[in-house]
Amino acid sequence: MADSTLARIDRTNEHYTFELAQNVNRTTVTFRNHFGIELVGDLYMPAEFQNQVRNGKGVKKFAAIAICGPFGAVKEQASGFYANRMAERGYIALAFDPSFTGESGGEPRYMNSPDINTEDFMAAVDFLSTREDIDPEKIGIIGICGWGGLALNAAAIDTRIKATVASTMYDMSRVTANGYFDSANSADARNKMRSSLMAQRLEDFKALSKGLALKLGGGVVDPLPDDAPYFVKDYHSYYKTSRGYHERSLNSNGGWAVQAATSLLNTKLLAYSDEIQNAVMVLHGEKAHSRYFGEDAFKRLTGSNKELVIVPGASHTDLYDGGKNNAIPFDTLVEFFTKYLK
């Protein structure tokens, strides 16, 4: 199946939103999660790895990091950017498309699931753990934006994940159930949303029976209204411009299926985050609208191996690709992973 999957992927006109580092090699890989969905990722390998293979030496076992996010993005965007930079610094890094999105499998398209998407991270750990060039005791994960919350959920169940970074994180279950800044945190508001989702579910059921697609909720608004909130402007500057646009990115185009909010509305992602024993870093921008998600998530964490890092002056999307000021503190990430992937 892996060969057939790679064969059907047309990369003739492929593009990434960043330049591949000169001392990094990238190759496309596939693996399955335990629901049987085939995931597609890009494996970034440092020059040190390539030199060992080229010289015929025994390949040492590297530390590895699986990376996903932002929520509604693809591996050619921020997760690949992180993987490229971490490979520059000596890690084998895997940026992957989650189920139902990008080049990964799963039907219907543009859906999400707290359970399946948490499993996607665990499947990435399976894949990395079974490679001869990776030390299975030295595997970490990075979740960006909505995948920051999913990364914490994965770390709460998967003890093989020795270190987790939640970067510019959203708690997608909280924002779905409560609205932005908890502005719709009431039973009445949630019941209204439930009624709307169930009505849409019936319409989608009828559409699928006719071979039609699910109704999409729309990606990042474009053109941008003059009165758009500042964080919507931040999203537009990334997803809708040459800086971050990608043709397979939900946020750059038609968005998630409307019905995709159903599971998130009925699930609390961080329920067991206080029981994570392995290391966690919560990384957020000082000026990020989403900062409250990260700070509240950090308050739930226990143990001396937990860190909260606030990047001065950085917005939410600055931690996607560094923004204009190279805001992502990769040296800090390396110090963290070096300390705990040992």
Side-chain angles (χ1 to χ4, degrees), residues 273-274 282 292-302 308:
S273 60
D274 58 327
V282 176
Y292 71 103
F293 290 124
E295 291 181 329
D296 286 355
F298 180 75
K299 291 174 186 176
R300 287 184 52 84
L301 301 177
T302 59
L308 174 64

Side-chain angles (χ1 to χ4, degrees), residues 33 71 75 94 119 164 171 203 224 261 301:
N33 66 21
F71 204 71
K75 64 187 180 300
L94 172 67
E119 162 61 23
T164 299
D171 176 347
E203 293 303 313
L224 192 66
L301 301 177

Side-chain angles (χ1 to χ4, degrees), residues 37-52:
I37 298 172
E38 191 166 56
L39 306 179
V40 179
D42 285 328
L43 196 65
Y44 291 75
M45 290 169 286
E48 181 184 359
F49 171 83
Q50 298 301 317
N51 291 337
Q52 288 184 81

